[in-house]
Amino acid sequence: SYELTQPPSVSVSPGQTASITCSGDKLGDKYACWYQQKPGQSPVLVIYQDSKRPSGIPERFSGSNSGNTATLTISGTQAMDEADYYCQAWDSSIGYVFGTGTKVTVL
Amino acid sequence: EVQLVESGGGLVKPGGSLRLSCAASGFTFSSYSMNWVRQAPGKGLEWVSSISSSSSYIYYADSVKGRFTISRDNAKNSLYLQMNSLRAEDTAVYYCARQGYCSGGSCYSGGRDDAFDIWGQGTMVTVSS
């Protein structure tokens, strides 16, 4: 099987930088993407193909992927960024895999 | 407006069946691979099944293989999930999701390893006696 592991929670002060990691075997050899999900809402794609932002996603969201770790970085975090974040990748043996999820709290 | 609207959820007894539908609008449905993703109450996201644009390629998570069947009707811009032999652990919100991405004002269907860029609002499935 293939697993993607994220920290359960990340806390950040408004205006500071939040970094969320996603760890998986040779994840850097795959495309990683990231979703934001607010309570009671559907997931929203914020990063695709490791580091690209979809239309309409603020520039403060950025991504990277190398080795065994993909990272989502939120620069200048705002209160509206408080949400759950999930990474995702495709594995040829089992299909699409989501990370365990990280709750970002803006203190 | 690009939109996905799921329907068909509800309460069903263990061992029962249910058919979910997802109506697509605002984009060329027949050009995109589509997916079902579920989320149990208070839990994370779990991919369920995928179908390519022409139905040539179909994939299932091990947890639903042999019980669920994904299909699509490109003429009706619709995606389906037939769920049989339902179990309590299938209780979840079920989302349909388009596979692709939009950049620079254009949208692309992407490859098999691309992200899910458009999601529906979800439909709740509860399996309980």
Side-chain angles (χ1 to χ4, degrees), chain A residues 47-81:
Chain A
I47 293 291
Y48 69 97
Q49 293 181 1
D50 296 338
S51 60
K52 298 178 182 178
R53 279 180 291 105
S55 303
I57 299 301
E59 291 184 8
R60 64 179 180 274
F61 288 90
S62 63
S64 63
N65 185 17
S66 179
N68 295 322
T69 304
T71 302
L72 174 68
T73 302
I74 311 173
S75 304
T77 307
Q78 300 183 9
M80 68 174 66
D81 301 329

PDB file of all heavy atoms in Angstrom, chain A residues 47-81:
ATOM      1  N   ILE A  47      -3.229  23.805  -4.807  1.00  0.00           N
ATOM      2  CA  ILE A  47      -1.955  23.568  -5.488  1.00  0.00           C
ATOM      3  C   ILE A  47      -2.075  22.281  -6.313  1.00  0.00           C
ATOM      4  O   ILE A  47      -2.565  21.270  -5.802  1.00  0.00           O
ATOM      5  CB  ILE A  47      -0.779  23.422  -4.502  1.00  0.00           C
ATOM      6  CG1 ILE A  47      -0.483  24.729  -3.785  1.00  0.00           C
ATOM      7  CG2 ILE A  47       0.485  22.912  -5.231  1.00  0.00           C
ATOM      8  CD1 ILE A  47       0.113  25.834  -4.673  1.00  0.00           C
ATOM      9  N   TYR A  48      -1.633  22.318  -7.571  1.00  0.00           N
ATOM     10  CA  TYR A  48      -1.573  21.108  -8.391  1.00  0.00           C
ATOM     11  C   TYR A  48      -0.191  20.995  -9.009  1.00  0.00           C
ATOM     12  O   TYR A  48       0.563  21.971  -9.053  1.00  0.00           O
ATOM     13  CB  TYR A  48      -2.674  21.105  -9.450  1.00  0.00           C
ATOM     14  CG  TYR A  48      -2.515  22.140 -10.545  1.00  0.00           C
ATOM     15  CD1 TYR A  48      -1.939  21.811 -11.765  1.00  0.00           C
ATOM     16  CD2 TYR A  48      -2.954  23.460 -10.360  1.00  0.00           C
ATOM     17  CE1 TYR A  48      -1.782  22.759 -12.767  1.00  0.00           C
ATOM     18  CE2 TYR A  48      -2.803  24.404 -11.357  1.00  0.00           C
ATOM     19  CZ  TYR A  48      -2.228  24.046 -12.555  1.00  0.00           C
ATOM     20  OH  TYR A  48      -2.080  24.989 -13.546  1.00  0.00           O
ATOM     21  N   GLN A  49       0.139  19.811  -9.487  1.00  0.00           N
ATOM     22  CA  GLN A  49       1.450  19.541 -10.092  1.00  0.00           C
ATOM     23  C   GLN A  49       2.575  20.120  -9.238  1.00  0.00           C
ATOM     24  O   GLN A  49       3.429  20.874  -9.723  1.00  0.00           O
ATOM     25  CB  GLN A  49       1.490  20.075 -11.526  1.00  0.00           C
ATOM     26  CG  GLN A  49       0.570  19.325 -12.462  1.00  0.00           C
ATOM     27  CD  GLN A  49       0.623  19.827 -13.900  1.00  0.00           C
ATOM     28  OE1 GLN A  49       1.380  20.755 -14.238  1.00  0.00           O
ATOM     29  NE2 GLN A  49      -0.187  19.234 -14.766  1.00  0.00           N
ATOM     30  N   ASP A  50       2.540  19.795  -7.968  1.00  0.00           N
ATOM     31  CA  ASP A  50       3.561  20.143  -6.960  1.00  0.00           C
ATOM     32  C   ASP A  50       3.552  21.606  -6.524  1.00  0.00           C
ATOM     33  O   ASP A  50       3.690  21.905  -5.340  1.00  0.00           O
ATOM     34  CB  ASP A  50       4.982  19.822  -7.477  1.00  0.00           C
ATOM     35  CG  ASP A  50       5.197  18.354  -7.707  1.00  0.00           C
ATOM     36  OD1 ASP A  50       4.475  17.535  -7.109  1.00  0.00           O
ATOM     37  OD2 ASP A  50       6.107  18.014  -8.500  1.00  0.00           O
ATOM     38  N   SER A  51       3.461  22.528  -7.493  1.00  0.00           N
ATOM     39  CA  SER A  51       3.731  23.921  -7.144  1.00  0.00           C
ATOM     40  C   SER A  51       2.888  24.940  -7.902  1.00  0.00           C
ATOM     41  O   SER A  51       3.138  26.141  -7.779  1.00  0.00           O
ATOM     42  CB  SER A  51       5.212  24.225  -7.380  1.00  0.00           C
ATOM     43  OG  SER A  51       5.541  24.016  -8.744  1.00  0.00           O
ATOM     44  N   LYS A  52       1.943  24.493  -8.675  1.00  0.00           N
ATOM     45  CA  LYS A  52       1.165  25.426  -9.496  1.00  0.00           C
ATOM     46  C   LYS A  52      -0.145  25.800  -8.801  1.00  0.00           C
ATOM     47  O   LYS A  52      -0.790  24.961  -8.178  1.00  0.00           O
ATOM     48  CB  LYS A  52       0.886  24.800 -10.868  1.00  0.00           C
ATOM     49  CG  LYS A  52       2.154  24.506 -11.655  1.00  0.00           C
ATOM     50  CD  LYS A  52       1.849  23.846 -12.977  1.00  0.00           C
ATOM     51  CE  LYS A  52       3.147  23.528 -13.722  1.00  0.00           C
ATOM     52  NZ  LYS A  52       2.895  22.823 -15.005  1.00  0.00           N
ATOM     53  N   ARG A  53      -0.514  27.042  -8.942  1.00  0.00           N
ATOM     54  CA  ARG A  53      -1.747  27.525  -8.344  1.00  0.00           C
ATOM     55  C   ARG A  53      -2.860  27.612  -9.391  1.00  0.00           C
ATOM     56  O   ARG A  53      -2.667  28.208 -10.442  1.00  0.00           O
ATOM     57  CB  ARG A  53      -1.543  28.918  -7.731  1.00  0.00           C
ATOM     58  CG  ARG A  53      -0.912  28.917  -6.363  1.00  0.00           C
ATOM     59  CD  ARG A  53      -0.742  30.337  -5.821  1.00  0.00           C
ATOM     60  NE  ARG A  53       0.268  31.078  -6.584  1.00  0.00           N
ATOM     61  CZ  ARG A  53      -0.012  32.030  -7.467  1.00  0.00           C
ATOM     62  NH1 ARG A  53      -1.265  32.367  -7.700  1.00  0.00           N
ATOM     63  NH2 ARG A  53       0.962  32.645  -8.103  1.00  0.00           N
ATOM     64  N   PRO A  54      -4.021  27.044  -9.084  1.00  0.00           N
ATOM     65  CA  PRO A  54      -5.166  27.198 -10.002  1.00  0.00           C
ATOM     66  C   PRO A  54      -5.595  28.656 -10.056  1.00  0.00           C
ATOM     67  O   PRO A  54      -5.279  29.453  -9.150  1.00  0.00           O
ATOM     68  CB  PRO A  54      -6.261  26.343  -9.361  1.00  0.00           C
ATOM     69  CG  PRO A  54      -5.557  25.457  -8.394  1.00  0.00           C
ATOM     70  CD  PRO A  54      -4.359  26.212  -7.931  1.00  0.00           C
ATOM     71  N   SER A  55      -6.308  28.986 -11.094  1.00  0.00           N
ATOM     72  CA  SER A  55      -6.856  30.333 -11.216  1.00  0.00           C
ATOM     73  C   SER A  55      -7.687  30.670  -9.987  1.00  0.00           C
ATOM     74  O   SER A  55      -8.490  29.862  -9.525  1.00  0.00           O
ATOM     75  CB  SER A  55      -7.738  30.424 -12.464  1.00  0.00           C
ATOM     76  OG  SER A  55      -7.025  30.061 -13.619  1.00  0.00           O
ATOM     77  N   GLY A  56      -7.473  31.864  -9.434  1.00  0.00           N
ATOM     78  CA  GLY A  56      -8.268  32.317  -8.304  1.00  0.00           C
ATOM     79  C   GLY A  56      -7.676  32.018  -6.936  1.00  0.00           C
ATOM     80  O   GLY A  56      -8.194  32.486  -5.925  1.00  0.00           O
ATOM     81  N   ILE A  57      -6.622  31.232  -6.886  1.00  0.00           N
ATOM     82  CA  ILE A  57      -5.971  30.925  -5.607  1.00  0.00           C
ATOM     83  C   ILE A  57      -4.917  32.009  -5.318  1.00  0.00           C
ATOM     84  O   ILE A  57      -4.070  32.287  -6.176  1.00  0.00           O
ATOM     85  CB  ILE A  57      -5.330  29.534  -5.619  1.00  0.00           C
ATOM     86  CG1 ILE A  57      -6.410  28.472  -5.863  1.00  0.00           C
ATOM     87  CG2 ILE A  57      -4.583  29.272  -4.314  1.00  0.00           C
ATOM     88  CD1 ILE A  57      -7.527  28.445  -4.828  1.00  0.00           C
ATOM     89  N   PRO A  58      -4.956  32.590  -4.126  1.00  0.00           N
ATOM     90  CA  PRO A  58      -4.020  33.676  -3.802  1.00  0.00           C
ATOM     91  C   PRO A  58      -2.549  33.268  -3.890  1.00  0.00           C
ATOM     92  O   PRO A  58      -2.205  32.102  -3.650  1.00  0.00           O
ATOM     93  CB  PRO A  58      -4.390  34.044  -2.360  1.00  0.00           C
ATOM     94  CG  PRO A  58      -5.804  33.581  -2.199  1.00  0.00           C
ATOM     95  CD  PRO A  58      -5.926  32.355  -3.037  1.00  0.00           C
ATOM     96  N   GLU A  59      -1.698  34.232  -4.203  1.00  0.00           N
ATOM     97  CA  GLU A  59      -0.261  33.979  -4.343  1.00  0.00           C
ATOM     98  C   GLU A  59       0.398  33.527  -3.048  1.00  0.00           C
ATOM     99  O   GLU A  59       1.498  32.969  -3.076  1.00  0.00           O
ATOM    100  CB  GLU A  59       0.434  35.237  -4.860  1.00  0.00           C
ATOM    101  CG  GLU A  59       0.099  35.588  -6.290  1.00  0.00           C
ATOM    102  CD  GLU A  59       0.891  36.788  -6.775  1.00  0.00           C
ATOM    103  OE1 GLU A  59       1.804  37.247  -6.052  1.00  0.00           O
ATOM    104  OE2 GLU A  59       0.587  37.273  -7.882  1.00  0.00           O
ATOM    105  N   ARG A  60      -0.254  33.760  -1.894  1.00  0.00           N
ATOM    106  CA  ARG A  60       0.357  33.352  -0.633  1.00  0.00           C
ATOM    107  C   ARG A  60       0.416  31.835  -0.474  1.00  0.00           C
ATOM    108  O   ARG A  60       1.117  31.337   0.407  1.00  0.00           O
ATOM    109  CB  ARG A  60      -0.379  33.980   0.557  1.00  0.00           C
ATOM    110  CG  ARG A  60      -1.825  33.541   0.738  1.00  0.00           C
ATOM    111  CD  ARG A  60      -2.433  34.241   1.980  1.00  0.00           C
ATOM    112  NE  ARG A  60      -3.822  33.861   2.211  1.00  0.00           N
ATOM    113  CZ  ARG A  60      -4.844  34.472   1.630  1.00  0.00           C
ATOM    114  NH1 ARG A  60      -4.644  35.493   0.805  1.00  0.00           N
ATOM    115  NH2 ARG A  60      -6.089  34.056   1.902  1.00  0.00           N
ATOM    116  N   PHE A  61      -0.278  31.103  -1.339  1.00  0.00           N
ATOM    117  CA  PHE A  61      -0.206  29.650  -1.323  1.00  0.00           C
ATOM    118  C   PHE A  61       0.873  29.194  -2.313  1.00  0.00           C
ATOM    119  O   PHE A  61       0.861  29.579  -3.484  1.00  0.00           O
ATOM    120  CB  PHE A  61      -1.544  29.020  -1.716  1.00  0.00           C
ATOM    121  CG  PHE A  61      -2.610  29.166  -0.669  1.00  0.00           C
ATOM    122  CD1 PHE A  61      -3.449  30.277  -0.669  1.00  0.00           C
ATOM    123  CD2 PHE A  61      -2.772  28.208   0.325  1.00  0.00           C
ATOM    124  CE1 PHE A  61      -4.425  30.420   0.305  1.00  0.00           C
ATOM    125  CE2 PHE A  61      -3.744  28.338   1.298  1.00  0.00           C
ATOM    126  CZ  PHE A  61      -4.575  29.446   1.291  1.00  0.00           C
ATOM    127  N   SER A  62       1.819  28.378  -1.813  1.00  0.00           N
ATOM    128  CA  SER A  62       2.852  27.847  -2.679  1.00  0.00           C
ATOM    129  C   SER A  62       3.153  26.410  -2.280  1.00  0.00           C
ATOM    130  O   SER A  62       2.839  25.987  -1.162  1.00  0.00           O
ATOM    131  CB  SER A  62       4.122  28.700  -2.620  1.00  0.00           C
ATOM    132  OG  SER A  62       4.660  28.683  -1.307  1.00  0.00           O
ATOM    133  N   GLY A  63       3.758  25.664  -3.202  1.00  0.00           N
ATOM    134  CA  GLY A  63       4.040  24.277  -2.925  1.00  0.00           C
ATOM    135  C   GLY A  63       5.375  23.848  -3.480  1.00  0.00           C
ATOM    136  O   GLY A  63       5.923  24.454  -4.403  1.00  0.00           O
ATOM    137  N   SER A  64       5.913  22.773  -2.891  1.00  0.00           N
ATOM    138  CA  SER A  64       7.149  22.172  -3.378  1.00  0.00           C
ATOM    139  C   SER A  64       7.075  20.676  -3.123  1.00  0.00           C
ATOM    140  O   SER A  64       6.262  20.195  -2.329  1.00  0.00           O
ATOM    141  CB  SER A  64       8.368  22.776  -2.683  1.00  0.00           C
ATOM    142  OG  SER A  64       8.334  22.498  -1.301  1.00  0.00           O
ATOM    143  N   ASN A  65       7.924  19.918  -3.835  1.00  0.00           N
ATOM    144  CA  ASN A  65       7.895  18.466  -3.679  1.00  0.00           C
ATOM    145  C   ASN A  65       9.252  17.911  -4.072  1.00  0.00           C
ATOM    146  O   ASN A  65       9.691  18.073  -5.217  1.00  0.00           O
ATOM    147  CB  ASN A  65       6.798  17.859  -4.559  1.00  0.00           C
ATOM    148  CG  ASN A  65       6.639  16.362  -4.352  1.00  0.00           C
ATOM    149  OD1 ASN A  65       7.104  15.810  -3.358  1.00  0.00           O
ATOM    150  ND2 ASN A  65       5.961  15.702  -5.278  1.00  0.00           N
ATOM    151  N   SER A  66       9.907  17.244  -3.133  1.00  0.00           N
ATOM    152  CA  SER A  66      11.224  16.674  -3.410  1.00  0.00           C
ATOM    153  C   SER A  66      11.485  15.531  -2.435  1.00  0.00           C
ATOM    154  O   SER A  66      11.053  15.577  -1.281  1.00  0.00           O
ATOM    155  CB  SER A  66      12.303  17.752  -3.267  1.00  0.00           C
ATOM    156  OG  SER A  66      13.583  17.230  -3.517  1.00  0.00           O
ATOM    157  N   GLY A  67      12.213  14.527  -2.932  1.00  0.00           N
ATOM    158  CA  GLY A  67      12.534  13.408  -2.057  1.00  0.00           C
ATOM    159  C   GLY A  67      11.278  12.682  -1.603  1.00  0.00           C
ATOM    160  O   GLY A  67      10.495  12.205  -2.419  1.00  0.00           O
ATOM    161  N   ASN A  68      11.084  12.632  -0.308  1.00  0.00           N
ATOM    162  CA  ASN A  68       9.910  11.956   0.255  1.00  0.00           C
ATOM    163  C   ASN A  68       8.870  12.929   0.808  1.00  0.00           C
ATOM    164  O   ASN A  68       7.909  12.504   1.455  1.00  0.00           O
ATOM    165  CB  ASN A  68      10.326  11.007   1.373  1.00  0.00           C
ATOM    166  CG  ASN A  68      11.174   9.855   0.876  1.00  0.00           C
ATOM    167  OD1 ASN A  68      10.936   9.312  -0.202  1.00  0.00           O
ATOM    168  ND2 ASN A  68      12.190   9.492   1.637  1.00  0.00           N
ATOM    169  N   THR A  69       9.061  14.221   0.576  1.00  0.00           N
ATOM    170  CA  THR A  69       8.201  15.209   1.232  1.00  0.00           C
ATOM    171  C   THR A  69       7.705  16.302   0.280  1.00  0.00           C
ATOM    172  O   THR A  69       8.491  16.918  -0.434  1.00  0.00           O
ATOM    173  CB  THR A  69       8.956  15.868   2.403  1.00  0.00           C
ATOM    174  OG1 THR A  69       9.411  14.858   3.305  1.00  0.00           O
ATOM    175  CG2 THR A  69       8.039  16.828   3.157  1.00  0.00           C
ATOM    176  N   ALA A  70       6.410  16.509   0.311  1.00  0.00           N
ATOM    177  CA  ALA A  70       5.792  17.667  -0.337  1.00  0.00           C
ATOM    178  C   ALA A  70       5.421  18.661   0.762  1.00  0.00           C
ATOM    179  O   ALA A  70       5.054  18.256   1.874  1.00  0.00           O
ATOM    180  CB  ALA A  70       4.558  17.259  -1.131  1.00  0.00           C
ATOM    181  N   THR A  71       5.514  19.933   0.432  1.00  0.00           N
ATOM    182  CA  THR A  71       5.234  20.973   1.424  1.00  0.00           C
ATOM    183  C   THR A  71       4.310  22.028   0.844  1.00  0.00           C
ATOM    184  O   THR A  71       4.537  22.519  -0.275  1.00  0.00           O
ATOM    185  CB  THR A  71       6.541  21.647   1.896  1.00  0.00           C
ATOM    186  OG1 THR A  71       7.419  20.653   2.438  1.00  0.00           O
ATOM    187  CG2 THR A  71       6.248  22.698   2.961  1.00  0.00           C
ATOM    188  N   LEU A  72       3.286  22.357   1.600  1.00  0.00           N
ATOM    189  CA  LEU A  72       2.403  23.487   1.294  1.00  0.00           C
ATOM    190  C   LEU A  72       2.783  24.624   2.224  1.00  0.00           C
ATOM    191  O   LEU A  72       2.831  24.431   3.442  1.00  0.00           O
ATOM    192  CB  LEU A  72       0.938  23.105   1.492  1.00  0.00           C
ATOM    193  CG  LEU A  72      -0.072  24.244   1.344  1.00  0.00           C
ATOM    194  CD1 LEU A  72      -0.140  24.714  -0.113  1.00  0.00           C
ATOM    195  CD2 LEU A  72      -1.463  23.821   1.820  1.00  0.00           C
ATOM    196  N   THR A  73       3.041  25.771   1.658  1.00  0.00           N
ATOM    197  CA  THR A  73       3.410  26.945   2.442  1.00  0.00           C
ATOM    198  C   THR A  73       2.373  28.040   2.244  1.00  0.00           C
ATOM    199  O   THR A  73       1.996  28.350   1.108  1.00  0.00           O
ATOM    200  CB  THR A  73       4.800  27.467   2.028  1.00  0.00           C
ATOM    201  OG1 THR A  73       5.770  26.426   2.202  1.00  0.00           O
ATOM    202  CG2 THR A  73       5.189  28.670   2.874  1.00  0.00           C
ATOM    203  N   ILE A  74       1.921  28.580   3.357  1.00  0.00           N
ATOM    204  CA  ILE A  74       0.998  29.712   3.314  1.00  0.00           C
ATOM    205  C   ILE A  74       1.733  30.909   3.909  1.00  0.00           C
ATOM    206  O   ILE A  74       2.023  30.931   5.111  1.00  0.00           O
ATOM    207  CB  ILE A  74      -0.292  29.437   4.112  1.00  0.00           C
ATOM    208  CG1 ILE A  74      -0.891  28.080   3.736  1.00  0.00           C
ATOM    209  CG2 ILE A  74      -1.311  30.546   3.854  1.00  0.00           C
ATOM    210  CD1 ILE A  74      -2.076  27.666   4.605  1.00  0.00           C
ATOM    211  N   SER A  75       2.053  31.862   3.064  1.00  0.00           N
ATOM    212  CA  SER A  75       2.776  33.051   3.510  1.00  0.00           C
ATOM    213  C   SER A  75       1.796  34.148   3.871  1.00  0.00           C
ATOM    214  O   SER A  75       0.785  34.333   3.181  1.00  0.00           O
ATOM    215  CB  SER A  75       3.717  33.538   2.405  1.00  0.00           C
ATOM    216  OG  SER A  75       4.594  32.507   2.003  1.00  0.00           O
ATOM    217  N   GLY A  76       2.111  34.890   4.938  1.00  0.00           N
ATOM    218  CA  GLY A  76       1.183  35.947   5.335  1.00  0.00           C
ATOM    219  C   GLY A  76      -0.204  35.383   5.629  1.00  0.00           C
ATOM    220  O   GLY A  76      -1.202  35.882   5.123  1.00  0.00           O
ATOM    221  N   THR A  77      -0.232  34.362   6.461  1.00  0.00           N
ATOM    222  CA  THR A  77      -1.487  33.641   6.737  1.00  0.00           C
ATOM    223  C   THR A  77      -2.580  34.575   7.250  1.00  0.00           C
ATOM    224  O   THR A  77      -2.340  35.435   8.104  1.00  0.00           O
ATOM    225  CB  THR A  77      -1.236  32.526   7.756  1.00  0.00           C
ATOM    226  OG1 THR A  77      -0.163  31.695   7.299  1.00  0.00           O
ATOM    227  CG2 THR A  77      -2.480  31.657   7.922  1.00  0.00           C
ATOM    228  N   GLN A  78      -3.768  34.374   6.716  1.00  0.00           N
ATOM    229  CA  GLN A  78      -4.922  35.170   7.127  1.00  0.00           C
ATOM    230  C   GLN A  78      -5.922  34.288   7.871  1.00  0.00           C
ATOM    231  O   GLN A  78      -5.911  33.054   7.728  1.00  0.00           O
ATOM    232  CB  GLN A  78      -5.582  35.806   5.905  1.00  0.00           C
ATOM    233  CG  GLN A  78      -4.668  36.727   5.125  1.00  0.00           C
ATOM    234  CD  GLN A  78      -5.383  37.391   3.958  1.00  0.00           C
ATOM    235  OE1 GLN A  78      -6.598  37.308   3.807  1.00  0.00           O
ATOM    236  NE2 GLN A  78      -4.616  38.075   3.111  1.00  0.00           N
ATOM    237  N   ALA A  79      -6.800  34.928   8.615  1.00  0.00           N
ATOM    238  CA  ALA A  79      -7.804  34.183   9.373  1.00  0.00           C
ATOM    239  C   ALA A  79      -8.641  33.289   8.457  1.00  0.00           C
ATOM    240  O   ALA A  79      -9.042  32.183   8.839  1.00  0.00           O
ATOM    241  CB  ALA A  79      -8.700  35.153  10.139  1.00  0.00           C
ATOM    242  N   MET A  80      -8.877  33.720   7.233  1.00  0.00           N
ATOM    243  CA  MET A  80      -9.686  32.954   6.298  1.00  0.00           C
ATOM    244  C   MET A  80      -8.992  31.673   5.834  1.00  0.00           C
ATOM    245  O   MET A  80      -9.615  30.818   5.198  1.00  0.00           O
ATOM    246  CB  MET A  80     -10.030  33.790   5.063  1.00  0.00           C
ATOM    247  CG  MET A  80      -8.840  34.127   4.176  1.00  0.00           C
ATOM    248  SD  MET A  80      -9.339  34.953   2.653  1.00  0.00           S
ATOM    249  CE  MET A  80      -9.973  36.483   3.283  1.00  0.00           C
ATOM    250  N   ASP A  81      -7.700  31.528   6.136  1.00  0.00           N
ATOM    251  CA  ASP A  81      -6.962  30.333   5.742  1.00  0.00           C
ATOM    252  C   ASP A  81      -7.128  29.192   6.748  1.00  0.00           C
ATOM    253  O   ASP A  81      -6.634  28.081   6.516  1.00  0.00           O
ATOM    254  CB  ASP A  81      -5.474  30.647   5.572  1.00  0.00           C
ATOM    255  CG  ASP A  81      -5.216  31.717   4.533  1.00  0.00           C
ATOM    256  OD1 ASP A  81      -6.006  31.800   3.566  1.00  0.00           O
ATOM    257  OD2 ASP A  81      -4.252  32.484   4.687  1.00  0.00           O
TER     258      ASP A  81
END
